[in-house]
Amino acid sequence: MYLTAVLLIVATAAAGALKWWGGAEFGAQHPTVGALVEPASALRAAAWQSATLGGLLLATVIVTIGGAQLIESGTWGALRLYENRSHVLYGRRLCAAVVFLAAVQLVNGLTLWTVMRGMALLRPTPTRPPTAFDTGTPALGLADAGSAGWAEALTATGGALLVQTLYLSLGWCAAALLRNSIGTLSLGIGPWLVTAPLLLLPVGPFVPHAWIASLMSLPGETQYRLYFWSQATGQSSSAVGAVLVAAFAAAAAFLAQLLLRSERVLRPID
């Protein structure tokens, strides 16, 4: 779990440094990459990372280690001897996981900001006319996300935690159904990857990836490799995306605690 978090942070910082280096070679930074020298923009980029494939991977690993392994080994049933309320046990672990993910987001943002500040000192980009890097060309299909204020950064952080709560709840459902670690890891990540190409079809707006993109206001390809979910763009209302993600997260959390009730050492007849 900690190793996955560290790898996510390192991958984000490395991707940012590579894009900065490439912009310095070109002679102009893309506005979104150049804005990462600001702490609020770096925090928003970390939230984008947490709400997409990087955050999904970390959340699934957390559920696999802290949920599926407990069920597979019989530890969850033993815990029910001391706390029979499955929703309490589940709620405690869900809250602990969300707090951990929030800390990872913060560290990720601080690390990215520090690395990009260092890159700005090591490889300063020459000043070019505004037309030197056209962010609106059809060939690139980019939207200028630009700098972020603290309100935008904190909103993105909260949205990412909501998305990760959805990931965690669905992962717990998979753990309760499959009762093994490998199956939970596969079912937690697999469907999201398999259904990603649906975004390119007419059904794209009805795929959960699109709701997440709307909630997070993801700017398509603007971040390049700074986040790992570039097919979806936040084109619809972020409020609608937030409602849909929150509704599915609540439904998945409720279903997970119902499924976990069956995991116990002693039956009522005992």
Side-chain angles (χ1 to χ4, degrees):
M1 181 175 67
Y2 295 109
L3 177 61
T4 305
V6 170
L7 289 177
L8 174 62
I9 293 170
V10 171
T12 306
L18 286 174
K19 294 314 299 181
W20 183 279
W21 193 273
E25 292 288 336
F26 180 75
Q29 296 292 349
H30 187 278
T32 304
V33 177
L36 294 178
V37 297
E38 304 168 2
S41 297
L43 184 61
R44 183 182 64 175
W48 284 345
Q49 194 76 290
S50 297
T52 55
L53 185 57
L56 168 61
L57 176 62
L58 181 56
T60 305
V61 170
I62 290 174
V63 173
T64 301
I65 294 175
Q69 287 187 357
L70 291 179
I71 297 174
E72 186 177 12
S73 64
T75 304
W76 182 267
L79 290 174
R80 295 288 304 277
L81 296 175
Y82 298 93
E83 176 53 77
N84 188 48
R85 297 171 296 177
S86 60
H87 64 278
V88 173
L89 292 175
Y90 168 69
R92 289 172 180 171
R93 279 156 179 75
L94 183 63
C95 291
V98 170
V99 170
F100 175 76
L101 290 170
V104 171
Q105 260 194 80
L106 178 60
V107 174
N108 196 7
L110 290 175
T111 303
L112 180 61
W113 172 63
T114 302
V115 169
M116 300 309 283
R117 291 284 294 181
M119 292 300 299
L121 294 175
L122 293 174
R123 289 287 291 180
T125 303
T127 303
R128 298 283 294 272
T131 57
F133 197 98
D134 184 9
T135 61
T137 56
L140 293 177
L142 300 176
D144 181 8
S147 301
W150 283 109
E152 293 174 298
L154 294 176
T155 300
T157 299
L161 292 176
L162 177 59
V163 172
Q164 288 183 317
T165 301
L166 172 62
Y167 293 159
L168 291 167
S169 299
L170 290 174
W172 273 99
C173 289
L177 287 171
L178 300 177
R179 306 181 76 249
N180 68 82
S181 302
I182 301 301
T184 299
L185 189 62
S186 302
L187 192 58
I189 299 177
W192 294 89
L193 301 181
V194 172
T195 56
L198 295 177
L199 291 164
L200 305 177
L201 301 178
V203 297
F206 305 101
V207 179
H209 306 60
W211 308 339
I212 294 172
S214 298
L215 167 62
M216 299 302 299
S217 300
L218 290 179
E221 297 282 353
T222 304
Q223 278 288 58
Y224 299 92
R225 291 192 298 267
L226 291 181
Y227 63 85
F228 309 131
W229 201 290
S230 58
Q231 297 98 327
T233 55
Q235 296 176 345
S236 59
S237 170
S238 59
V240 173
V243 170
L244 289 171
V245 172
F248 272 79
F254 180 73
L255 177 60
Q257 65 91 19
L258 287 181
L259 293 172
L260 290 169
R261 287 184 179 180
S262 63
E263 292 296 328
R264 57 198 309 164
V265 173
L266 300 176
R267 305 294 173 183
I269 193 173
D270 297 328

